[in-house]
Amino acid sequence: MAITLSGDQAIPGPPFSSRLTPAQIWGIVLLAPYLLVFLAFVVYPVGYGLWLARAPSNYVALYNDPIFARAAVNTLIFLVIGINIKMLIALFLSGFFAQQRPWIKWLSVIFILPWAVPSIPTILSVRFMLNPEWGMVNHLIFSLTGDDGPNWLNDPTVALTMAIAVHIWKSLPFWTLILITGRLAISHDLFEAAEVDGASWWQKFRFITWPSMQTLYVTCTLLSMIWTLGDFNSVYLLTGGGPADLTHVLSTLGIRYLRLDQLSLAMASIVCAMPFVLPLVYFMMKRLSR
Amino acid sequence: MKLPGVSEFSWRDVAAEARLLLIGIPVFLWTMIPIYHMFLFAISPKEDAFSGKLWPDHPTLHNFEIVFRQQHYFLRDFYIQFWNSLVIAASVGVLTLVIATAAAFSISRLKVPGGRVVMNLALFTYFIPAAFLAVPMYRTMGNYGLLNNHWSLILAMVTIASPYAIWVLKQASDKLPVELDEAAVMDGATTPQIFRLVYLPLMMPSLVAIGTYAVLLAWNEYLYAFLLLSNDREITLPVALGNFLAADDSPWELLMTTGFIYALPPAAIYYAFRRYMVGGLTAGAVKS
């Protein structure tokens, strides 16, 4: 008697459910809440938003809106100038805070405050400090020089600079903290050996600190770019996008369109940033998910 | 002959210390001025606040009294707004912890199929700029009928907090030895028992860090709160602070007083849990 095995007589495998161990079933159940949140509040909104922004007429409208062009340029200034200044200061300060002194330890505890406290009262506080008539800054300028200080938030260039300063004020502590962690991870022996060889401060930085921190520094800079794109508070609470809508960045512009009930324009302005954001996100995911 | 101790003294050390102070003093001023300015307004009568003095002639707690007694048009709903902030922050903390701990346990300890994909999805969400997600999120909450409902803000903040929470908790879970789970299985423990009796106690420090992170994130949030809530009795404190600005003659000294009160809890929470947070959060933020 010949035993034939043809396709339709294949031995059926166990049903799907029994292929999962109880632990795996628990795994799926425990993962489900996050998946639901992800589907409901990331996938659906993003998909829906992209669908709203699909008409080419939106992009024509954006192209013809001078505020959009200005916002795009401002965003670039924020990213290229603001972030590099911030990260360089953070790199420098991480060296300062890595020094072993009791008073530096105390200062580092205070230094975290801008990051720990909410944006709104502190940024509004800066806003009032820069008030041309009543603000503390112009009062000081007047008492020192006898001249009236500038109208800080009325000139778009100055106002944007101030917004970048506020952004740096708020996020510098976080990045300094990360870079301190990186610095402390460098073996102390290297520095001691360099000291024996009589290396200067700059040589120690150039040949020991920087090579060990380069990757971390670049990663932090890129991550900071992504997050800065999402920083709404620094600009909105300080200038409100003004004067004359000249200090908007893409994040405040999107919200501005949203408040004007132009949701497709709001989405389109964000979609315009995607060719820039997605490569960054891709790169970061590759680096971090290894 | 030099005395011991004096010989330690050298001009080089003094110069080094002076150089450090030359950095330290500007850093201190840069950090503190906006916060000090807020505090100065809170303890100044209106005339002093607007005169640009560095210390008021007549420091007073009167502003705090006005805020706590809700004696101004803008402060009518101070307590309910404070309460809203509190309830929302606490709910976000609890929900984020539940969702992220379950996910991290599932991915890291149970090796659920597709766990890697979920980690990547979470990482992707973590990298969406918050203000960009706000635009479609606003409309979505409208579609779900949740606008002006606290749930909209709670769910939005959980969406934003969970990816990072999962990321940090998963990394912490991976560091726990597998042998613990295996030994528990040998002893006949079921999965929920392993979760409750083995996993949770060992994860406590990371859970404290993540809970604090989520609470602070929600407490400090302005943009989403401002978009998703609008009714005076539903809004959180930061939105109320933002609304102060709409007036022509804003009571800035009251605005700063309320802001100061609003900024105290996060500062206190941060300092209380600093040990956990710095270790737990910075380690997860950037894996070098």
Side-chain angles (χ1 to χ4, degrees):
Chain A
M1 212 195 280
I3 300 172
T4 54
L5 272 177
S6 64
D8 53 315
Q9 280 176 311
I11 301 155
F16 181 72
S17 64
S18 69
R19 260 187 276 160
L20 292 169
T21 63
Q24 281 175 323
I25 293 171
W26 270 111
I28 293 166
V29 169
L30 291 174
L31 206 52
Y34 179 66
L35 284 177
L36 282 178
V37 166
F38 182 76
L39 283 175
F41 300 107
V42 180
V43 175
Y44 173 65
V46 169
Y48 186 66
L50 291 176
W51 185 74
L52 283 169
R54 74 196 182 287
S57 60
N58 289 320
Y59 300 92
V60 177
L62 277 185
Y63 182 78
N64 289 326
D65 187 345
I67 301 175
F68 174 74
R70 183 72 193 219
V73 172
N74 288 344
T75 309
L76 266 178
I77 295 174
F78 230 93
L79 291 181
V80 174
I81 301 178
I83 292 181
N84 280 305
I85 292 177
K86 173 175 71 178
M87 295 309 295
L88 283 173
I89 300 176
L91 182 63
F92 176 75
L93 285 183
S94 69
F96 167 75
F97 281 114
Q99 305 282 324
Q100 303 295 320
R101 297 277 197 295
W103 67 269
I104 290 182
K105 205 140 227 135
W106 272 107
L107 186 57
S108 73
V109 171
I110 293 168
F111 181 65
I112 295 299
L113 269 175
W115 178 61
V117 298
S119 304
I120 189 162
T122 48
I123 297 181
L124 292 181
S125 167
V126 174
R127 182 170 169 155
F128 197 89
M129 274 163 59
L130 296 175
N131 182 297
E133 289 165 63
W134 303 301
M136 184 192 260
V137 175
N138 277 6
H139 270 289
L140 274 179
I141 291 178
F142 185 79
S143 61
L144 290 176
T145 69
D147 290 324
D148 287 335
N151 191 342
W152 297 92
L153 302 178
N154 217 15
D155 174 330
T157 315
V158 181
L160 190 69
T161 311
M162 292 299 117
I164 292 176
V166 161
H167 169 80
I168 294 177
W169 184 80
K170 176 82 188 158
S171 53
L172 186 65
F174 178 78
W175 295 113
T176 308
L177 209 65
I178 302 278
L179 293 180
I180 292 174
T181 320
R183 232 176 233 269
L184 295 177
I186 305 172
S187 160
H188 213 78
D189 300 346
L190 291 173
F191 289 108
E192 277 169 13
E195 232 146 84
V196 171
D197 292 342
S200 69
W201 169 85
W202 171 251
Q203 283 170 325
K204 277 188 272 184
F205 177 78
R206 173 74 186 75
F207 296 109
I208 303 172
T209 314
W210 178 247
S212 343
M213 289 182 69
Q214 199 178 8
T215 324
L216 178 67
Y217 184 80
V218 173
T219 310
C220 287
T221 306
L222 295 178
L223 191 55
S224 167
M225 277 192 175
I226 301 177
W227 285 346
T228 305
L229 281 168
D231 180 13
F232 168 82
N233 294 343
S234 300
V235 170
Y236 182 80
L237 295 176
L238 191 72
T239 72
D245 284 321
L246 290 171
T247 58
H248 275 293
V249 287
L250 286 176
S251 56
T252 57
L253 187 70
I255 305 298
R256 176 180 173 272
Y257 285 132
L258 187 68
R259 303 292 285 179
L260 294 173
D261 242 345
Q262 295 174 306
L263 189 68
S264 2
L265 274 191
M267 267 319 289
S269 68
I270 288 167
V271 170
C272 287
M274 285 305 128
F276 182 76
V277 177
L278 289 178
L280 273 179
V281 170
Y282 176 75
F283 181 78
M284 289 304 299
M285 286 182 65
K286 265 190 84 155
R287 266 197 53 65
L288 290 184
S289 65
R290 240 182 296 156
Chain B
M1 207 166 82
K2 282 180 184 171
L3 292 166
V6 174
S7 66
E8 305 280 324
F9 178 90
S10 84
W11 286 107
R12 249 189 90 141
D13 289 346
V14 176
E17 201 72 21
R19 262 206 306 274
L20 286 175
L21 274 171
L22 220 57
I23 303 166
I25 293 169
V27 167
F28 176 75
L29 292 177
W30 165 260
T31 303
M32 284 310 291
I33 284 177
I35 296 168
Y36 174 72
H37 183 257
M38 177 168 76
F39 171 71
L40 182 67
F41 259 58
I43 58 159
S44 297
K46 193 166 189 139
E47 317 82 70
D48 283 1
F50 281 69
S51 68
K53 291 201 172 72
L54 296 179
W55 182 254
D57 292 336
H58 309 285
T60 169
L61 292 178
H62 186 58
N63 291 328
F64 287 90
E65 198 185 314
I66 298 177
V67 174
F68 287 131
R69 292 199 176 162
Q70 308 190 113
Q71 283 168 340
H72 189 282
Y73 175 75
F74 281 110
L75 297 161
R76 265 178 327 178
D77 300 312
F78 172 77
Y79 285 106
I80 184 128
Q81 288 159 353
F82 194 95
W83 175 248
N84 292 340
S85 277
L86 211 66
V87 169
I88 288 170
S91 315
V92 171
V94 171
L95 263 178
T96 304
L97 269 181
V98 170
I99 289 176
T101 313
F105 178 72
S106 163
I107 296 168
S108 168
R109 311 305 291 180
L110 302 178
K111 309 274 182 232
V112 70
R116 241 190 114 74
V117 178
V118 176
M119 283 306 291
N120 284 333
L121 295 178
L123 206 54
F124 177 75
T125 313
Y126 182 47
F127 289 145
I128 301 180
F132 286 8
L133 187 60
V135 172
M137 182 92 85
Y138 169 75
R139 185 56 185 268
T140 305
M141 290 298 179
N143 288 356
Y144 291 151
L146 289 173
L147 283 183
N148 291 326
N149 181 324
H150 286 171
W151 278 108
S152 64
L153 185 56
I154 294 171
L155 290 168
M157 295 323 291
V158 168
T159 308
I160 292 172
S162 306
Y164 182 62
I166 294 176
W167 183 250
V168 171
L169 293 179
K170 198 251 178 193
Q171 282 188 338
S173 307
D174 285 347
K175 289 195 190 111
L176 302 179
V178 201
E179 289 76 17
L180 288 174
D181 292 16
E182 286 166 358
V185 172
M186 287 293 192
D187 293 342
T190 61
T191 306
Q193 281 172 328
I194 295 176
F195 180 73
R196 204 159 42 90
L197 302 172
V198 180
Y199 185 75
L200 282 187
L202 289 170
M203 288 291 285
M204 235 359 128
S206 303
L207 296 179
V208 172
I210 284 301
T212 315
Y213 156 79
V215 166
L216 288 188
L217 189 81
W219 179 267
N220 291 354
E221 177 58 28
Y222 176 66
L223 171 61
Y224 280 81
F226 150 80
L227 285 178
L228 298 173
L229 307 173
S230 53
N231 183 336
D232 269 355
R233 295 181 68 78
E234 304 296 333
I235 58 176
T236 55
L237 214 45
V239 185
L241 286 172
N243 290 348
F244 266 61
L245 285 175
D248 293 330
D249 182 26
S250 296
W252 276 86
E253 70 290 356
L254 297 180
L255 170 62
M256 289 291 121
T257 311
T258 316
F260 186 75
I261 297 166
Y262 167 65
L264 281 179
I269 292 173
Y270 175 78
Y271 285 118
F273 294 110
R274 199 159 55 94
R275 248 167 252 285
Y276 296 98
M277 288 193 64
V278 174
L281 299 183
T282 58
V286 178
K287 195 170 68 172
S288 49

Coordinates of all heavy atoms in Angstrom, one line a residue, chain A residues 128-153 158 162, chain B residues 51-54:
Chain A
F128 N 7.7 90.2 29.7 CA 7.5 91.5 30.4 C 8.8 92.2 30.6 O 8.9 93.4 30.6 CB 6.8 91.3 31.7 CG 6.2 92.5 32.2 CD1 4.9 93.0 31.8 CD2 6.9 93.4 33.0 CE1 4.4 94.2 32.2 CE2 6.4 94.6 33.4 CZ 5.2 95.0 33.0
M129 N 9.9 91.4 30.9 CA 11.2 92.0 31.1 C 11.6 92.8 29.8 O 12.3 93.8 29.9 CB 12.3 90.9 31.3 CG 12.4 90.5 32.7 SD 13.3 88.9 32.9 CE 14.8 89.4 32.1
L130 N 11.1 92.4 28.7 CA 11.5 93.0 27.4 C 10.5 94.1 27.0 O 10.7 94.7 25.9 CB 11.6 92.0 26.3 CG 12.7 91.0 26.5 CD1 12.7 89.9 25.4 CD2 14.1 91.6 26.5
N131 N 9.5 94.4 27.8 CA 8.6 95.4 27.5 C 9.3 96.8 27.4 O 10.0 97.1 28.3 CB 7.5 95.4 28.6 CG 6.4 96.5 28.3 OD1 6.7 97.7 28.3 ND2 5.2 96.0 28.1
P132 N 9.1 97.5 26.3 CA 9.9 98.7 26.1 C 9.7 99.8 27.2 O 10.6 100.5 27.5 CB 9.5 99.2 24.7 CG 8.2 98.5 24.4 CD 8.2 97.2 25.2
E133 N 8.4 99.9 27.7 CA 8.2 101.0 28.7 C 8.4 100.5 30.1 O 8.9 101.3 30.9 CB 6.7 101.4 28.5 CG 6.5 102.2 27.2 CD 5.0 102.3 27.0 OE1 4.3 102.9 27.8 OE2 4.5 101.7 26.0
W134 N 7.9 99.4 30.5 CA 7.9 99.0 31.9 C 8.9 97.9 32.2 O 9.1 97.5 33.4 CB 6.5 98.5 32.3 CG 5.5 99.5 32.1 CD1 5.4 100.7 32.6 CD2 4.3 99.4 31.3 NE1 4.3 101.4 32.2 CE2 3.6 100.6 31.4 CE3 3.8 98.3 30.5 CZ2 2.4 100.8 30.7 CZ3 2.6 98.6 29.8 CH2 1.9 99.8 29.9
G135 N 9.5 97.3 31.2 CA 10.3 96.1 31.4 C 11.6 96.4 32.1 O 12.1 97.5 32.1
M136 N 12.1 95.4 32.9 CA 13.3 95.6 33.7 C 14.5 95.9 32.8 O 15.4 96.7 33.2 CB 13.5 94.3 34.4 CG 14.6 94.3 35.4 SD 15.0 92.6 35.9 CE 14.1 92.7 37.5
V137 N 14.6 95.3 31.6 CA 15.8 95.4 30.8 C 16.0 96.9 30.4 O 17.0 97.4 30.5 CB 15.7 94.5 29.5 CG1 16.8 94.7 28.6 CG2 15.6 93.0 30.0
N138 N 14.9 97.5 29.9 CA 15.0 98.8 29.4 C 15.2 99.8 30.6 O 15.8 100.9 30.4 CB 13.9 99.2 28.5 CG 14.1 98.8 27.1 OD1 15.1 98.1 26.8 ND2 13.2 99.2 26.2
H139 N 14.6 99.5 31.7 CA 14.9 100.3 32.9 C 16.3 100.3 33.3 O 16.9 101.3 33.6 CB 14.1 99.7 34.1 CG 12.7 100.3 34.2 ND1 12.5 101.6 34.6 CD2 11.5 99.8 34.0 CE1 11.2 101.9 34.6 NE2 10.6 100.8 34.2
L140 N 17.0 99.1 33.2 CA 18.4 99.0 33.5 C 19.2 99.8 32.5 O 20.1 100.5 32.8 CB 18.8 97.5 33.5 CG 18.6 96.8 34.8 CD1 19.1 95.3 34.6 CD2 19.5 97.4 35.9
I141 N 18.8 99.6 31.2 CA 19.6 100.3 30.1 C 19.4 101.8 30.4 O 20.4 102.6 30.3 CB 19.0 100.0 28.7 CG1 19.4 98.5 28.4 CG2 19.6 100.9 27.7 CD1 18.9 98.0 27.1
F142 N 18.3 102.3 30.7 CA 18.0 103.7 31.0 C 18.9 104.2 32.2 O 19.5 105.3 32.1 CB 16.6 104.0 31.2 CG 16.3 105.5 31.3 CD1 16.2 106.3 30.2 CD2 16.1 106.1 32.6 CE1 15.9 107.6 30.3 CE2 15.9 107.4 32.7 CZ 15.8 108.2 31.5
S143 N 18.9 103.4 33.2 CA 19.6 103.9 34.4 C 21.1 103.9 34.2 O 21.9 104.6 34.8 CB 19.2 103.1 35.6 OG 19.5 101.8 35.5
L144 N 21.6 103.0 33.3 CA 23.0 102.9 33.0 C 23.5 103.9 32.0 O 24.6 104.5 32.1 CB 23.4 101.5 32.6 CG 23.3 100.4 33.6 CD1 23.6 99.1 33.0 CD2 24.3 100.7 34.8
T145 N 22.7 104.1 30.9 CA 23.1 105.0 29.8 C 22.4 106.2 29.7 O 22.8 107.1 28.9 CB 23.0 104.2 28.5 OG1 21.6 104.0 28.2 CG2 23.7 102.8 28.6
G146 N 21.2 106.3 30.3 CA 20.4 107.5 30.1 C 19.6 107.5 28.8 O 18.8 108.4 28.5
D147 N 19.8 106.4 28.0 CA 19.0 106.3 26.7 C 17.9 105.3 26.9 O 18.0 104.4 27.7 CB 20.0 105.9 25.6 CG 20.9 106.9 25.2 OD1 20.6 108.1 25.3 OD2 22.1 106.6 24.9
D148 N 16.9 105.4 26.0 CA 15.8 104.4 26.0 C 16.4 103.2 25.3 O 17.1 103.3 24.3 CB 14.6 105.0 25.2 CG 13.9 106.0 26.0 OD1 14.0 106.0 27.2 OD2 13.2 106.9 25.4
G149 N 16.1 102.1 25.8 CA 16.5 100.8 25.1 C 15.6 100.5 23.9 O 14.7 101.2 23.6
P150 N 16.0 99.5 23.2 CA 15.2 99.2 22.0 C 13.9 98.6 22.3 O 13.6 98.2 23.4 CB 16.1 98.1 21.3 CG 17.0 97.6 22.3 CD 17.2 98.6 23.4
N151 N 13.0 98.7 21.3 CA 11.7 98.0 21.5 C 11.9 96.6 21.0 O 11.7 96.2 19.9 CB 10.7 98.7 20.6 CG 9.3 98.3 20.9 OD1 9.1 97.2 21.5 ND2 8.3 99.0 20.5
W152 N 12.2 95.7 22.0 CA 12.8 94.4 21.7 C 11.9 93.5 20.8 O 12.4 92.8 20.0 CB 13.0 93.6 23.1 CG 14.0 94.3 23.9 CD1 13.8 95.3 24.9 CD2 15.4 94.1 23.8 NE1 15.0 95.7 25.4 CE2 16.0 95.0 24.8 CE3 16.3 93.3 23.1 CZ2 17.4 95.1 25.0 CZ3 17.6 93.4 23.3 CH2 18.2 94.3 24.2
L153 N 10.6 93.6 21.1 CA 9.8 92.6 20.4 C 9.1 93.2 19.1 O 8.2 92.6 18.5 CB 8.8 92.0 21.3 CG 9.4 91.3 22.5 CD1 8.4 90.7 23.5 CD2 10.3 90.2 22.0
V158 N 15.2 91.3 15.9 CA 15.5 91.2 17.4 C 14.5 90.3 18.1 O 15.0 89.5 18.9 CB 15.4 92.6 18.0 CG1 15.7 92.6 19.5 CG2 16.3 93.6 17.3
M162 N 15.4 87.0 20.3 CA 15.0 86.8 21.7 C 14.3 85.4 21.8 O 14.4 84.8 22.8 CB 14.0 87.9 22.1 CG 14.7 89.3 22.2 SD 16.0 89.3 23.5 CE 17.4 89.6 22.5
Chain B
S51 N 7.8 99.7 37.9 CA 8.9 100.7 37.9 C 10.2 100.1 37.6 O 11.2 100.9 37.5 CB 8.9 101.4 39.3 OG 9.4 100.4 40.2
G52 N 10.3 98.8 37.4 CA 11.6 98.2 37.0 C 12.6 98.1 38.1 O 13.8 98.0 37.8
K53 N 12.2 98.2 39.4 CA 13.1 98.1 40.5 C 13.6 96.6 40.6 O 12.8 95.7 40.3 CB 12.4 98.5 41.8 CG 12.1 100.0 41.8 CD 12.0 100.4 43.3 CE 11.9 101.9 43.4 NZ 10.6 102.5 42.8
L54 N 14.8 96.4 41.1 CA 15.3 95.1 41.3 C 14.8 94.5 42.6 O 14.9 93.3 42.8 CB 16.8 95.1 41.3 CG 17.5 95.6 39.9 CD1 19.0 95.6 40.0 CD2 17.0 94.7 38.8

